[in-house]
Each structure stands twice: as structure tokens, then as C-alpha cells.
Amino acid sequence: MNSLIQRAYNFNAGPSALPLEVLEKAQQELIDFRGTGMSVMELSHRSAAYEEVHNHAITLLKELLSIPDEYEVLFLQGGGSLQFSMVPMNFLKPGEQAGYIMTGSWSEKAFAEAKLFGDPYHVFSNKESQYRRIPQFEELQYNPTDAYIHLTSNNTIYGTQWSDFPNTGEVPLIADMSSDILSQPFDVSKFALIYAGAQKNLGPSGVTVAIIRKDMIEKGNANIPTMLKYSTHSKNNSLYNTPPTFGIYMLGEVLNWIKELGGINTLGERNKQKAKLIYDVIDQSNGFYVGHAEPESRSLMNITFRVNDEELEKKFLSEAKLEGFVGVNGHRSVGGCRASTYNSVPYETCKAFSEFMIHFQNTNR
């Protein structure tokens, strides 16, 4: 890559940073993909060259997450937001109940869609305290006859994250992992379905990954549009129609990068170290910076905080932008500051931001 190019300190909440090594490889292969004389964007999705890309990405994801054989990996479109509808459309019948664990805005959006198809209810909600924490397992009250339980594993707006997941027994557990999939080790077998938009931790926007247990596919509602059935995509290896081929290629290259880095265990430790750089500044600032999430619920992916004076906060965000830090404004619905430290954000970027925070505090006491 041109050495004159200055890469931004990218804390965008999504689409987010991608590994430089992946971008450079994509640049090299952009015009002639592995001797085909075509870009990967020009390949037929029925060609052997593309099929190899497609299947390699599936195989790598299964390997990195130790996905059991009774699960399938699907590549879908429409982002996590379409899954808010697709989940109840497939698995929630009129008159049936499904439990939703409410930990932020994305849980609210998923719940609103479920109301169109059945009778969802709140297993837990702490909206009144501005979603500052993840519930304890004993706080989760649900029915053994529920069609499923739904949770959001990481909350980008409020900066909270599940560090472990409940065992819901015979009730299928479904998770939106759009903003923290592959950020730390977890047990896939606790879930009946995991879905995740790729644009935060897996690759560019346009691809949605679904990891679904085969018995759930069989339970899906048959009387819905073809493209909205998980079974359609399962039967066709996610090739029923033209998939986002370039996005899947990039996803595969990000997974290659994760494997070469040492896999999910290495990545999880790296993410802890990155987040600690910034949380330590907040905790040691004597109230100059105020974190939103309660410490035991803090996200490794989205660090949310305020500067203790409104005018100073505006100055902080303005100076951060001048110093090359991109995307550190909090979500428009809550304001404040947010550093999104997704998998591909380098340690050096987080270190530079922590040093900027310390400098800003020292010069604005």
C-alpha cells in the first residue's frame, strides 16, 4: 500500500475497520482473482472459482467457532434488521409466546417485529436505568413452553455485553451477535440460532451470517415467502439466488486473518487488552470521564462514556476529530462518546486514543 496514505484511527460503530492485510490482499486480487482474468465481483456465483471461496468461508467459520456438526452456516442478506422479522416469521406462530431479554435499542427493535407474528413478552428489561447492565441468570423468568428466548449479545449504543450465556434447556435460545461475534470464545451449542451482520466484526456490509441448528430449520413455518425461509437457504448452500459474492470473499479473508492471528482465544485476549487501555483511563480519571455501563457488564466492543462537562465534551469530540480519531461520537439517540474497538481495530489505535484522553484531561482540568 502507498506509504503516503495515512490510515485513520477508525472507531466507527459500523461499517467498521477491516484488517489492513485483508484490504491489501483484496487490492492485489481485485482485477485478476487467482488467475481467472476477472474480479471476484465478476465471477458467476455458480462457478467453481466462486464456490471454493464460498465453501472455504463456511469451513473457516465452523473451525474458528468449533461449530458442532448439527449446525449449518448460512449466508443471508438484509442485515440483522431483517432477522428481527425472519426469526418470528419462521418460529413464532399466532398465539405462541417468545421471551425477549431487553438490554438495549436493538432488543427493542427485535421485540417490535415479533409483535407482528405472535405474543412476545419481556423476560427482563432494565430500560428504566438506561440499559446500564446485563441481567444475572437468576433474573431471567421465562416459560418452558416458549417458542424461543431471544437476546442481544452486545449492545452497541449502551456499551454492555454478555460475558457468558444462560442455558435455557428445551427452550431454543436465539442470539443477535451482530456486534461481537468472534470477539471472545463462547459455546455455540447453547444456541438454536445465532445471527450476525458482518459489517462490525466479520467483513464489509451486505452479508449476514446465520448459524442454525438443523432441527430448528425443520421447525420453520412453511407458509411464508420462499426467500424468508431458513430452509430455502439451507437446501441451496446459501446459493438459492445470487449472494453478495464480494462480501463473502472479504468475510473469508477476515476469517483467514483471524486464524493466522491465533484464532478466537488469541483474539479474545487481544480485545481485552485493547478495551482495558481505554477503560483504565476512564476509571483513573477521578470522574472526569464517566462510563455508562456498570463495570461487570462492560463491552469489549463498544466503550461508551461521557465527559463530565457538556462544553468540555463538545471540545473533546472536536479535538479528537482533529487528531484523526473517527467515529467517537456516541449514538445520536444517547449522545456522549463511544469508541468501537471491534476485532479489526488495532491495539495501536486504542493506545493512541487512551493517550489522547489522558492528554485532554491533563490540559482541561
Side-chain angles (χ1 to χ4, degrees):
M1 181 169 283
N2 190 330
S3 60
L4 298 178
I5 295 175
Q6 177 62 49
R7 295 279 291 167
Y9 295 125
N10 187 354
F11 288 110
N12 277 327
S16 61
L18 287 166
L20 180 59
E21 299 96 318
V22 171
L23 293 172
E24 289 175 334
K25 184 176 181 183
Q27 182 184 50
Q28 293 166 5
E29 295 186 332
L30 186 64
I31 296 174
D32 182 9
F33 177 69
R34 301 174 190 175
T36 62
M38 295 176 283
S39 168
V40 71
M41 290 182 282
E42 300 174 289
L43 295 175
S44 166
H45 65 293
R46 308 294 182 193
S47 67
Y50 174 71
E51 188 176 359
E52 182 180 352
V53 169
H54 190 94
N55 292 334
H56 180 63
I58 292 172
T59 299
L60 265 181
L61 191 61
K62 288 180 175 179
E63 177 185 338
L64 289 168
L65 284 175
S66 300
I67 298 174
D69 290 340
E70 61 266 28
Y71 290 77
E72 291 193 20
V73 171
L74 308 178
F75 295 140
L76 310 175
Q77 300 180 54
S81 294
L82 181 57
Q83 294 301 298
F84 298 161
S85 301
M86 199 164 161
V87 166
M89 195 178 289
N90 276 267
F91 305 123
L92 185 59
K93 298 174 183 176
E96 287 187 340
Q97 289 192 305
Y100 278 71
I101 303 172
M102 310 300 288
T103 52
S105 298
W106 304 113
S107 301
E108 292 177 1
K109 291 179 184 293
F111 182 80
E113 295 300 308
K115 288 170 68 176
L116 300 174
F117 301 98
D119 186 20
Y121 68 95
H122 293 177
V123 171
F124 168 89
S125 176
N126 61 351
K127 184 176 183 178
E128 70 286 347
S129 61
Q130 296 184 292
Y131 295 126
R132 293 182 185 275
R133 69 180 181 90
I134 296 297
Q136 300 294 315
F137 291 170
E138 58 267 23
E139 295 179 274
L140 306 178
Q141 302 296 321
Y142 56 90
N143 305 313
T145 56
D146 285 343
Y148 58 83
I149 303 297
H150 180 282
L151 63 81
T152 306
S153 59
N154 182 74
N155 301 285
T156 57
I157 294 174
Y158 297 97
T160 62
Q161 183 181 25
W162 294 75
S163 58
D164 194 12
F165 299 102
N167 186 334
T168 55
E170 296 300 313
V171 182
L173 182 61
I174 295 176
D176 174 3
M177 292 193 178
S178 293
S179 55
D180 71 339
I181 192 168
L182 272 169
S183 66
Q184 57 184 340
F186 71 96
D187 184 0
V188 171
S189 68
K190 286 187 174 182
F191 299 90
L193 168 62
I194 295 164
Y195 62 89
Q199 69 275 8
K200 300 177 188 293
N201 261 354
L202 295 177
S205 57
V207 185
T208 304
V209 170
I211 302 167
I212 184 168
R213 212 168 57 209
K214 293 175 182 178
D215 67 300
M216 284 295 285
I217 297 172
E218 296 168 2
K219 293 178 183 177
N221 184 0
N223 298 314
I224 57 176
T226 301
M227 279 295 292
L228 298 175
K229 298 176 186 175
Y230 293 102
S231 60
T232 297
H233 304 284
S234 170
K235 291 173 184 175
N236 293 277
N237 192 31
S238 301
L239 292 165
Y240 176 78
N241 69 325
T242 306
T245 54
F246 185 74
I248 293 169
Y249 156 72
M250 288 294 288
L251 183 149
E253 291 303 325
V254 171
L255 296 178
N256 277 329
W257 172 78
I258 292 172
K259 182 176 180 178
E260 291 170 4
L261 198 66
I264 193 169
N265 291 313
T266 299
L267 196 57
E269 288 303 313
R270 182 174 178 265
N271 285 331
K272 288 177 183 177
Q273 293 168 9
K274 285 158 44 182
K276 187 176 186 298
L277 287 169
I278 300 171
Y279 281 127
D280 280 353
V281 176
I282 294 170
D283 291 341
Q284 297 166 16
S285 71
N286 294 317
F288 186 87
Y289 300 112
V290 181
H292 179 80
E294 294 186 6
E296 65 274 12
S297 296
R298 283 173 167 174
S299 171
L300 299 179
M301 299 286 96
N302 306 99
I303 301 169
T304 54
F305 63 97
R306 303 299 300 251
V307 180
N308 68 0
D309 177 273
E310 186 174 347
E311 290 305 311
L312 272 182
E313 186 170 270
K314 292 178 182 177
K315 184 180 180 183
F316 175 87
L317 292 170
S318 176
E319 291 189 9
K321 185 176 181 180
L322 290 174
E323 292 296 323
F325 297 102
V326 177
V328 295
N329 290 67
H331 191 271
R332 61 187 179 277
S333 65
V334 297
C337 312
R338 172 174 60 180
S340 295
T341 55
Y342 297 125
N343 286 346
S344 300
V345 175
Y347 178 90
E348 292 74 20
T349 294
C350 298
K351 188 172 188 296
F353 189 60
S354 69
E355 291 170 350
F356 166 76
M357 291 175 69
I358 293 169
H359 177 74
F360 184 85
Q361 179 183 355
N362 289 338
T363 55
N364 290 276
R365 291 182 184 276

